[in-house]
């Protein structure tokens, strides 16, 4: 049995699709592409597909991961091409590598996010980010299925800074055009994947708590990368070891 690891993007309107629907779409695409999937044992066999830390509904991503197991050897590049041909636009397979062993979740402990805040000037955002990073604790209120919950988000935030205020991210161009005549602050932040999970909207809630920053229109968050933290607070590509083993 061969295990393959896929990195895929969730772009444009597809960011509003739930993870459950994304998973169903992927499984249909695997069947349509004729991938020789391995199945679990038991009364109700299921294809061996393992998802790793799916992004929340409403959030775009350039770095989502899934593992699939097959019973016959498959060329990774051929699999990427075949899946891309049957998946809907906005759900794009970016890379497929053969597993070199180990588990993928153990290589992922943080995410890098890019958050566009239309109507917020870079100067205003800079002041809010400075206040956030100077705080040791920032508690925000989150509404869960069990009611309201207070979460301290500050320990999960590794870094936060204001990025270039250029137009929308090129990979999503054409999907979500914005008014370029209006200011748009860009928040770049690295957040640990803790329990409970701290999401981009929690970071925005923290900015509201420390600096009363409230964007006039909804922000747009995109996960740019996932991986383990290095000594400088950057992220190590979780597929790097698999690529090295293929050489």
């Amino acid at each position: 049995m061969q295990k393959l690891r896929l990195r895929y993007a969730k772009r444009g309107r597809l960011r509003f699709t739930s993870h459950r629907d994304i998973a169903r779409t992927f499984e249909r695409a695997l069947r349509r592409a004729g991938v020789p999937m391995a199945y679990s044992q038991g009364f109700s066999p299921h294809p061996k597909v393992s998802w790793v830390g799916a992004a929340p509904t409403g959030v775009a991503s350039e770095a989502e991961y899934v593992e699939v197991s097959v019973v016959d050897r498959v060329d990774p590049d051929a699999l990427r091409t075949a899946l891309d041909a049957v998946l809907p636009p906005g759900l794009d397979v970016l890379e497929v590598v053969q597993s070199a062993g180990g588990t993928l979740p153990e290589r992922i402990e943080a995410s890098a996010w890019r958050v566009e805040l239309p109507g917020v000037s870079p100067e205003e955002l800079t002041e809010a980010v400075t206040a956030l990073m100077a705080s040791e604790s920032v508690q925000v209120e989150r509404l869960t299925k069990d009611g309201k919950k207070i979460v301290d988000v500050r320990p999960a935030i590794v870094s936060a800074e204001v990025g270039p205020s250029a137009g929308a991210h090129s990979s999503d161009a054409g999907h979500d055009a914005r008014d370029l005549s209006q200011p748009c602050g860009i928040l770049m932040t690295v957040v640990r994947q803790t329990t409970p999970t701290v999401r981009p909207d929690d970071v925005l809630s923290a900015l509201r708590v420390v600096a009363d920053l409230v964007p006039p229109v909804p922000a747009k968050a995109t996960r740019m990368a996932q991986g383990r933290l290095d000594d400088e607070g950057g992220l190590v590509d979780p597929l790097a070891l698999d690529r090295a083993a293929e050489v």
Side-chain angles (χ1 to χ4, degrees):
M1 186 164 54
Q2 180 188 25
K3 181 182 289 185
L4 297 156
R5 291 170 171 163
L6 290 68
R7 179 170 70 93
Y8 68 94
K10 186 175 66 165
R11 298 167 172 160
R13 295 180 179 179
L14 265 293
R15 73 180 188 272
F16 297 110
T17 304
S18 71
H19 174 61
R20 179 176 295 181
D21 287 337
I22 292 287
R24 289 172 178 167
T25 300
F26 251 96
E27 290 190 10
R28 285 197 298 268
L30 289 166
R31 289 195 297 269
R32 290 180 62 189
V35 180
M37 295 298 301
Y39 282 78
S40 62
Q41 303 296 316
F43 181 75
S44 179
H46 296 282
K48 289 191 174 182
V49 179
S50 178
W51 301 90
V52 183
T57 302
V59 170
S61 179
E62 294 294 311
E64 298 300 287
Y65 294 92
V66 61
E67 293 181 315
V68 300
S69 295
V70 295
V71 293
D72 296 320
R73 294 195 66 82
V74 173
D75 177 72
D77 288 336
L79 176 60
R80 185 190 63 78
T81 301
L83 284 178
D84 241 6
V86 295
L87 284 168
L91 198 58
D92 306 310
V93 179
L94 305 178
E95 184 177 10
V96 180
V97 298
Q98 179 173 300
S99 168
T103 66
L104 198 52
E106 71 184 6
R107 302 182 190 175
I108 295 177
E109 63 176 336
S111 293
W113 297 95
R114 181 183 192 273
V115 186
E116 297 178 18
L117 294 90
V120 176
S121 70
E123 294 76 18
E124 185 181 8
L125 180 58
T126 297
E127 292 182 6
V129 168
T130 300
L132 172 63
M133 298 308 293
S135 303
E136 293 184 0
S137 173
V138 183
Q139 296 187 338
V140 304
E141 189 176 82
R142 178 191 292 176
L143 184 61
T144 70
K145 63 181 181 180
D146 298 320
K148 293 181 179 179
K149 183 176 183 179
I150 301 300
V151 178
D152 184 2
V153 305
R154 181 61 186 87
I157 302 174
V158 178
S159 63
E161 60 185 17
V162 178
S165 57
H169 182 56
S170 59
S171 66
D172 233 1
H175 291 292
D176 298 283
R178 65 174 178 84
D179 184 359
L180 297 179
S181 66
Q182 298 297 318
C184 182
I186 305 296
L187 172 65
M188 308 295 294
T189 182
V190 175
V191 181
R192 288 188 179 89
Q193 296 181 4
T194 56
T195 302
T197 302
V198 173
R199 303 171 302 207
D201 57 327
D202 295 319
V203 178
L204 296 180
S205 295
L207 293 176
R208 182 172 64 247
V209 169
V210 300
D212 197 27
L213 180 70
V214 182
V217 297
K220 177 191 170 186
T222 301
R223 176 147 58 190
M224 305 304 298
Q226 296 190 70
R228 291 191 65 83
L229 291 163
D230 61 22
D231 293 338
E232 286 74 41
L235 296 180
V236 178
D237 187 339
L239 300 184
L241 292 175
D242 302 303
R243 286 194 216 96
E246 293 179 346
V247 176

